[in-house]
Amino acid sequence: MNKHDILAKIKEGDFTKIKFAVADIDGVLRGKYIHKNKFLNALENGLGFCDVIFGWDCADKCYDGIDITGWHTGYPDAKATIATETFRRIPWENDTPFFLGDFSQDAKYADSTCSRSLLKRIAIQSEEMGFKPLFSQEFEWFNFLGTPSEIANADYTDLHPITPGMFGYSILRTSLNQPYFNDLFDMLHQFDIPLEGMHTETGPGVMEATVIYDEILAAADKALLFKSAVKEIAYKHNFVATFMAKWNQDFPGCGGHIHQSLWDLDKKQNLFFNRGTEQQMSATMQHYIAGLLKCLPEILPMFAPNPNSYKRLSGGDWAPRTLTWGIDNRTCAVRAIPGNEKSTRIELRVPGSDTNAYLAHGASLAAGLYGIKNKLTLETEAIKGNGYLETANGVLPDSLEKATKKMANSEIANELFGEAFVKHYTQTREWENRQMDESDPNWELKRYFEII
């Protein structure tokens, strides 16, 4: 649907308000309802949005030492641009029209703080190289009985998952909460986030779903909206959904694995596929994997953005921290999935479900393109056994503090994302690390349980 058609649909629609949202640096959607007349004006002239969304953390606490905004700037408005291609209607809100936006037309924020703008730049670089990136993110998340207020009032103790026990791929557990799971699948489809599949994972009350692949920007939009939509649909059933990377040490963490492939600009040829090789993997695919392995330690905070993320990346339990790759090997950081001309792809298994999809998708693509540009070769053979034990090629930093310090001083990170972004993002991760409160055993739950 083009901009003209959307304009006509909004003008003629029997509604008075539009819901509009942008992503902050953590991938949390910050939005508002606006009158449709204001929206129509904003389509042409942009929309003022307080830049505090780039000056505070996920708990609305203002950063210190951030250059772009703060008390020293007075928190002025940034100019948001409405992304008309993201138009959809919210089925659980009486079909209220909804749009995403970004700050790509405001130079002050586009280069340093706006994650959607960063992804757009990387996607353009990919197309200039002749590649159309197709991506999809799959998420694992836990579901709990109660409302946000009830859980918070209980100080995040005595949490009750919606189903008991460890029961992956269970048809019984989905039947137990059939109205919820039906609403998820059906309403997400109506919200233009069609799922390829959904099933229980191993753990009490945990689910996994994969969003059908799309061009990278649309895929990241859908991934970001998926998390918010799941939380909102859960509210309807008196449940709370959490996308924390590791809410409890006794259970597996929550992955946000990213599936990806590069196609020609017409999307007719999968450039990762080569029928003439042993594994049917093209040289482009091999360079891409090599780029991922080379860059991962340098840009890890974009895949593991919170202190809690590193509890998931503990060296096992379906979450790798070794710099490994393998053919259809889920114990490796990079799982190559050779197949046919349509299905050949890569799955990056490092990201957790707590990621900002714009940053995680953009970082993955940028790292792969780095490998292609520099014709990097795979220095190790594909791992055939337990990749968690293969440390010869190195391991990832084991804390946000270490990972952030490495990224802040990384020439590769500055080359991939620009100095302005790297400076701002690593400052926010330094802040995030300082919010750890070891005196409170529930500090991570209080901070990340619902919002992240």
Side-chain angles (χ1 to χ4, degrees):
M1 190 180 298
N2 61 40
K3 187 174 179 179
H4 179 269
D5 292 337
I6 291 170
L7 190 66
K9 187 175 282 287
I10 297 300
K11 283 181 177 178
E12 297 164 7
D14 184 23
F15 47 79
T16 58
K17 66 180 183 296
I18 310 291
K19 197 172 186 179
F20 170 75
V22 293
D24 68 13
I25 203 69
D26 290 296
V28 177
L29 287 176
R30 307 284 185 166
K32 58 178 76 174
Y33 293 96
I34 56 177
H35 193 281
K36 77 173 183 179
N37 290 341
K38 181 171 183 176
F39 170 83
L40 293 170
N41 177 69
L43 278 178
E44 300 300 325
N45 302 308
L47 181 70
F49 210 111
C50 179
D51 81 350
V52 72
I53 64 166
F54 296 128
W56 63 17
D57 63 16
C58 63
D60 289 7
K61 187 175 180 181
C62 293
Y63 298 129
D64 57 22
I66 297 293
D67 296 334
I68 195 75
T69 191
W71 303 115
H72 62 289
T73 67
Y75 295 110
D77 273 354
K79 183 180 180 180
T81 300
I82 294 168
T84 53
E85 71 275 12
T86 67
F87 172 59
R88 56 217 338 122
R89 303 185 75 147
I90 309 172
W92 56 91
E93 281 194 31
N94 298 319
D95 284 335
T96 297
F98 178 87
F99 292 84
L100 286 167
D102 59 42
F103 297 87
S104 55
Q105 301 303 311
D106 191 326
K108 179 180 177 182
Y109 305 95
D111 290 343
S112 58
T113 66
C114 179
S115 54
R116 192 172 191 270
S117 299
L118 178 70
L119 177 57
K120 288 167 77 171
R121 291 198 300 276
I122 297 169
I124 289 170
Q125 292 169 14
S126 178
E127 295 199 14
E128 288 173 347
M129 294 174 65
F131 305 127
K132 179 77 74 173
L134 300 186
F135 273 54
S136 172
Q137 193 160 11
E138 67 179 56
F139 290 100
E140 298 159 346
W141 76 98
F142 282 78
N143 302 276
F144 296 86
L145 300 172
T147 66
S149 294
E150 289 167 347
I151 290 173
N153 289 339
D155 204 31
Y156 297 88
T157 60
D158 196 28
L159 293 166
H160 295 281
I162 63 173
T163 56
M166 310 289 278
F167 205 166
Y169 301 103
S170 168
I171 60 172
L172 292 178
R173 291 296 181 244
T174 49
S175 295
L176 187 61
N177 291 288
Q178 189 178 31
Y180 175 46
F181 297 125
N182 282 337
D183 270 359
L184 284 174
F185 212 99
D186 297 341
M187 287 187 170
L188 285 167
H189 183 82
Q190 294 166 35
F191 195 47
D192 192 25
I193 307 177
L195 299 184
E196 182 179 89
M198 183 173 67
H199 61 86
T200 66
E201 257 295 350
T202 183
V206 63
M207 293 294 298
E208 177 180 312
T210 303
V211 181
I212 292 176
Y213 69 88
D214 205 336
E215 294 183 23
I216 188 169
L217 182 60
D221 287 338
K222 290 175 181 178
L224 210 78
L225 288 171
F226 172 86
K227 290 169 63 174
S228 183
V230 166
K231 293 173 186 178
E232 293 181 47
I233 295 168
Y235 292 156
K236 286 168 48 65
H237 296 267
N238 263 16
F239 299 157
V240 174
T242 183
F243 289 82
M244 283 181 67
K246 190 82 167 177
W247 81 273
N248 187 302
Q249 285 294 103
D250 294 332
F251 303 119
C254 292
H257 308 153
I258 301 175
H259 294 258
Q260 52 208 283
S261 57
L262 296 182
W263 293 63
D264 65 0
L265 295 180
D266 294 327
K267 294 192 293 187
K268 293 181 178 178
Q269 182 181 1
N270 183 347
L271 301 178
F272 280 0
F273 177 78
N274 184 345
R275 194 183 301 278
T277 61
E278 181 181 356
Q279 295 291 349
Q280 299 184 337
M281 290 169 49
S282 69
T284 297
M285 183 174 179
Q286 294 179 52
H287 293 323
Y288 193 103
I289 293 172
L292 283 171
L293 295 174
K294 173 73 172 179
C295 297
L296 267 172
E298 310 278 331
I299 60 177
L300 184 58
M302 298 174 78
F303 304 117
N306 305 302
N308 179 256
S309 309
Y310 296 81
K311 291 185 176 180
R312 171 180 166 269
L313 295 174
S314 56
D317 213 7
W318 309 106
R321 60 181 290 256
T322 54
L323 291 171
T324 50
W325 76 281
I327 304 295
D328 198 12
N329 188 334
R330 286 182 169 85
T331 69
C332 295
V334 181
R335 175 188 171 216
I337 311 175
N340 55 39
E341 295 177 40
K342 183 177 181 180
S343 64
T344 297
R345 65 193 188 279
I346 290 165
E347 179 191 26
L348 181 62
R349 294 182 59 82
V350 173
S353 62
D354 58 342
T355 48
N356 176 340
Y358 295 135
L359 298 185
H361 286 55
S364 191
L365 177 59
L369 295 178
Y370 180 89
I372 294 171
K373 288 176 191 173
N374 293 284
K375 291 184 167 51
L376 299 184
T377 57
L378 289 167
E379 298 178 358
T380 59
E381 296 292 325
I383 300 298
K384 295 182 179 179
N386 187 348
Y388 302 135
L389 304 178
E390 299 290 340
T391 60
N393 198 40
V395 296
L396 295 170
D398 61 3
S399 71
L400 180 61
E401 180 180 18
K402 293 177 184 177
T404 300
K405 190 172 295 184
K406 192 171 185 68
M407 182 174 176
N409 296 314
S410 169
E411 292 182 7
I412 288 177
N414 281 300
E415 177 183 339
L416 297 183
F417 313 121
E419 293 182 9
F421 172 80
V422 171
K423 181 179 181 182
H424 176 77
Y425 187 64
T426 55
Q427 285 177 338
T428 70
R429 296 311 93 190
E430 289 166 358
W431 166 274
E432 196 63 35
N433 195 64
R434 293 198 301 271
Q435 305 317 299
M436 295 173 61
D437 183 1
E438 301 295 355
S439 67
D440 183 352
N442 288 336
W443 78 268
E444 289 176 306
L445 292 169
K446 293 175 181 177
R447 186 169 183 82
Y448 303 121
F449 187 81
E450 183 192 8
I451 194 67
I452 207 63

